[in-house]
Amino acid sequence: MIRAIVLLSFLIAVASFSSPSTRSSSSKLSMGFNFGSFGKKSTPAPSKKQPTKAAPPSFAYGLVGSDVEAPEFDPLQLSAGKSEETIQWYRAAELKHGRITMLAALGLSVSPAFHLPDPVFDTTEGIGAVTKLYNERPEAIWQIVLA
């Protein structure tokens, strides 16, 4: 049972690091709804494409996450002068680090209930296991840090 839980948590951790796929649809399908004639084909509405001027990029290139009280909150100007690719990379890094901290919080709350079958991990304190591991096996700490 514990092996299944460890395997499941490992798979969840691995899946949380995959980036969302952004597939752009290149098809030009349009849907027309005509509820009055069920047997007839409806024609799509004509598209109204008007030439537009190149607008300046909006705050953080329009990423979702702005607050109502403080829209465009960037006191350290981290997004000023950055390309859209860099802003997207910042967002991906923020999501990845947020997921890591969620896994760490889960590990701290689960560690008193479940233990690995090793005498080093027999403590119920979260940080106690790390200090005990450092005292007994210092090379293992470097493996953790370098991973």
Side-chain angles (χ1 to χ4, degrees):
M1 179 68 181
I2 290 181
R3 288 183 183 178
I5 292 172
V6 169
L7 178 66
L8 182 64
S9 65
F10 176 74
L11 291 175
I12 290 171
V14 169
S16 68
F17 289 107
S18 65
S19 64
S21 66
T22 55
R23 296 181 186 170
S24 62
S25 176
S26 63
S27 67
K28 304 218 182 221
L29 295 177
S30 62
M31 296 179 63
F33 293 103
N34 188 355
F35 295 108
S37 58
F38 288 110
K40 299 178 184 177
K41 254 187 172 177
S42 63
T43 59
S47 63
K48 297 179 182 178
K49 292 185 179 179
Q50 298 177 357
T52 59
K53 295 180 183 176
S58 61
F59 178 71
Y61 295 98
L63 285 177
V64 179
S66 180
D67 195 10
V68 175
E69 289 84 15
E72 300 183 6
F73 181 74
D74 190 9
L76 299 177
Q77 300 296 318
L78 295 175
S79 65
K82 302 289 193 278
S83 68
E84 184 174 3
E85 182 181 354
T86 304
I87 298 294
Q88 294 290 339
W89 186 84
Y90 285 167
R91 173 59 62 98
E94 179 184 9
L95 288 173
K96 184 189 293 187
H97 290 107
R99 290 171 181 160
I100 289 171
T101 56
M102 285 187 270
L103 286 173
L106 177 69
L108 283 175
S109 62
V110 170
S111 65
F114 299 102
H115 301 290
L116 294 174
D118 193 351
V120 174
F121 302 109
D122 62 353
T123 181
T124 59
E125 302 168 357
I127 197 71
V130 176
T131 53
K132 188 172 182 183
L133 182 66
Y134 177 72
N135 292 332
E136 292 184 15
R137 301 178 194 161
E139 67 277 353
I141 291 295
W142 286 111
Q143 288 177 344
I144 293 170
V145 169
L146 294 176

